[in-house]
Amino acid sequence: MQILVLALLGPAVAKVPSRSWEESYKLADETLERLSPWQRSRLLNGVGWRPDWQLTPGFYIGNIAGSPSAGVPWLRMQDSAGGFRTLFPEMVGTSVVWPSSLALASTWDEQAVADQAAAIAKEFRGKNANVMLGPAVNIVRTALGGRNFEFLPGEDPYLGARLVRSFVTAVQSQGVMVVLKHFAFNEQETNRGTVNSVVDDRTAWEVYYQPFEAGVDAGAVSVMCSYNRVNNTPACGNYNLLTRDLRQKMGFKGFVMSDWGAAHSTALDKGLDMDMPGFDGFYSYQAVSADAHFNTSVKRVLASIYRLRLDQGPPGCKPPMCFADLAKDVAKHQHLAQSVAAKAVILLENRGVLPLNLEKIRKLGVVGLAADAPYVQFNKDDASPGLPEGDFYSGGGSGHLQGSNASLKTTLQAIVERAEQEKVQVISANTSFTHNHSRPLGLLLQDQEVDLVVVVAGVRSQEALDRPDLNLAADELIHQASLSKPTVVLLMLPGAVLMPWQYQVSGIAVLFYGGEATGSAFASVLFGDVNPAGKLPLTIPRSEADTILPAKGPIAIYSEGMFTSYRKSSIKAAFPFGHGLSYTTFRIRPQRVLVDHKTWTSVLQGSSIGPPGRAGPVQDTLVSVEVRVENTGNRSGAEVVQAYLQFPKEVGSPHLLRGFRRTSELPAGGHQLLWFHFNTRDFASYMRGAWRVQDEVFLHLGSSSMKLNAPVVLNPWVTGDGTVSTTQAEAAVIPTGMPSVTEEPMKEHGDGSQDLLPRVADHTAKVAEVSSTPGLRGKESLATPAPEPRPTIPSHQDHSPPAVRTAKQVMGLTVTTLPSDQGASDAALSEAPSDANNWILWALQPALLLLVVLAAVLSTRGASEESDDDDSKHLPMELLEEEELPTWEYMYPGEAVTSPLVAGMRVAPL
């Protein structure tokens, strides 16, 4: 019997143990006494850049002079939006061009994030850099944002909080500092140096602060303040931002540096510790040495060095004698980059053509300039004024990665190589270069032997410029191809685009700047070597009217509050946040809901200021939910189960992502049990300056923000008859996966209701000729024939149940006990007895009930003296087959179940 288990622990990374902040500050105090005022001032002001914005050769992007005689190392900083930034031609190809941060967000996989982050940190160490200028943890607010590809959270603060925590932990475990950027409200590039972001407290804490909080909670030692103004004050001189919110409320103990040229004055008293790149004179020796906050800022930098034990490593090179270190070849993780890129591919649409049916397809057409696009030509003057251009693999700007075209495998090349293995001919048209198999587009589309056309398209984007619109240059090409042949569109994007041809094509897959492994990732999904499991970290809108545009004037007012992306119900999505298809199907079903009544009620009148969305069992868990995920298709695959909460007592409350779990690769017929844990912060709203815990919560489970079950209603109250007032969930079984034939365009009525529109008739007929997908029956199929269904593999529950819980048998049912002692050791739920012992327990039910209940009068299922056999009707067939008794938290349609409340026992039936 195979056991499928999901680990709830953090990513397993070889970790360099850090010092405590207390010990680090003690060492900082001692070192401060050994440094002269001049040496101290050098720790607060960057070196290496000239006033004309030219970087001196041999320096890193950022440099802080150390004092080797006092044991203080140099801080050597480099940009990292998707790897180690390329500065000069000799660096080209010496580090991996990694998938972008937005691609990482598409995996919804904390382990994948940790793996890539740790590998990038190793590249930094290999090039003698010890400070990573990243990750960027801003929220995608405007779809036109020029740096959206850099933003790890995508559009959601909870998703960002979970992924940021993994990223920070992994990088700093390798002895490399992270710098969380850009703090704060730097969500547009238009007028970024002057725009005034006007944001209220609730919007800040509920949305934009959460990823920064998570990074602080994970131990990030540095934060970068942004170019823009915040509520009329420059971010890098804003006391409320840097001191009140970041240090006092979030508990940040490290140092704050400015973005390059973002300081407007000497602002030690406001919370800005370090000025970069350092030539403006604001943090010169004369400017800072007499400041009352001078030593405090120096100690923050020193303590951060000691925190990560940078003082114990090799001293490294001394700029500008670092040319050889910068040019060292550290590109050793290409296989990992391919794995992450494949996980980041999102299958948006599949009308029965994917994966390719290699028994039917003999000739494949590939068209589009992006199909064989090279890396952008490297400019030897990229270190001078101006920022590097972007390409379809890495976005432009300070984080651009320059790969070697000699080793680049384009999407066209990857498809050709994979097709040759299957004896499939590939011809191309409208590509960047002419190939031996190139044809004019008209001839390719008229070729009767071409079974399917793949259009590869992309959009370039870069720092300092927001995109002018959301259109694709290839829109007409896609339209033209789809009129002639079944068409699959592969997109290389920095963020959202419009897809007016959405219902004309047979398949759509997206990769948000996948780096050097883009071609291999697309080919592996196209041919079915990888079953896609990526999910959208943002919304694909139907029109620009469904997006927030960058402010063109001097003020950007965040008047929408938290109502962006899926949180705004009026937004019309072509593809919603969290969406992503698979080549198999899944059934998601809640199994048990466990409620800690005492803790929940105790915090209702107070507030909880704590890290958002903790990943595993914690002491302040209020509700834990067990969910069964079953692979109901004929292929192995993984699913991301998403949990959204809604607070019904708040007028207009949106549903908010507050949990997600990615399953392991489930074989056909296999299943896995996952635990979701919700703490006080997850059940809270920010009101009147504090987090207020709600006393009623709607829980939705599903596979995207728009594909959710009816809510499970949760609250902590117990009614007079001893029942828990949690209502039964409706439509608890949620099928997910492929195909997306049910996700039709919506037709709105005047009353706000919607109907499903039929597909475009000619397109449906065309696809039906080559598809055998249910709902699209026809003569032939371009999709690979599914293997024979495997027998169901019985699975056991994840062995990470809620902390501080035990279980007792009452009337043959498992009742959860929540001890009042929060210091009690974690205990797994006891398994219900089976086989012959079951019948003894059934026979002893009345006596056991009297012993446990004592004087309490309780109502139970069939509290009267019914026969033992009657209770077996409540067992689902699958549980009878697995020889498992049901637990108390199971509930079935039509049953009226009451729950005992004895000596702290609290249960919540579904």
Side-chain angles (χ1 to χ4, degrees), residues 448-471:
Q448 296 300 313
E449 295 183 356
V450 173
D451 300 299
L452 182 140
V453 172
V454 176
V455 179
V456 187
V459 173
R460 291 185 172 92
S461 184
Q462 73 175 70
E463 178 182 352
L465 296 172
D466 287 323
R467 291 159 57 192
D469 54 53
L470 295 178
N471 299 321

Side-chain angles (χ1 to χ4, degrees), residues 103 134 174 256 307-308 455 523 538 540 543 560 574 656 716 826 853 899:
Q174 302 300 316
V256 175
R307 170 82 166 162
L308 297 187
V455 179
L538 45 72
I540 302 296
S543 70
E560 73 281 356
L656 306 168
D826 295 352
V853 174
S899 55

Side-chain angles (χ1 to χ4, degrees), residues 391-416:
D391 49 41
F392 295 135
Y393 309 97
S394 176
S398 58
H400 180 69
L401 274 294
Q402 180 66 50
S404 171
N405 283 313
S407 60
L408 173 65
K409 181 183 291 186
T410 66
T411 302
L412 177 59
Q413 288 174 309
I415 291 175
V416 169

Side-chain angles (χ1 to χ4, degrees), residues 675-696:
W675 280 105
F676 286 77
H677 304 286
F678 303 102
N679 61 20
T680 53
R681 181 66 175 270
D682 297 324
F683 281 7
S685 294
Y686 192 84
M687 297 179 289
R688 300 184 300 278
W691 290 99
R692 308 291 174 177
V693 178
Q694 300 286 323
D695 62 7
E696 187 172 48

Side-chain angles (χ1 to χ4, degrees), residues 811-826:
M811 292 293 290
L813 304 174
T814 303
V815 178
T816 302
T817 303
L818 305 179
S820 58
D821 180 10
Q822 291 298 318
S825 59
D826 295 352

Side-chain angles (χ1 to χ4, degrees), residues 260 393 424 593 909:
W260 268 230
Y393 309 97
V424 173
V593 178

Side-chain angles (χ1 to χ4, degrees), residues 454-500:
V454 176
V455 179
V456 187
V459 173
R460 291 185 172 92
S461 184
Q462 73 175 70
E463 178 182 352
L465 296 172
D466 287 323
R467 291 159 57 192
D469 54 53
L470 295 178
N471 299 321
L472 278 172
D475 281 342
E476 180 57 33
L477 175 63
I478 295 170
H479 173 71
Q480 188 176 354
S482 67
L483 292 176
S484 303
K485 302 285 183 181
T487 300
V488 172
V489 180
L490 305 180
L491 297 174
M492 302 153 71
L493 302 176
V497 296
L498 300 181
M499 301 181 187

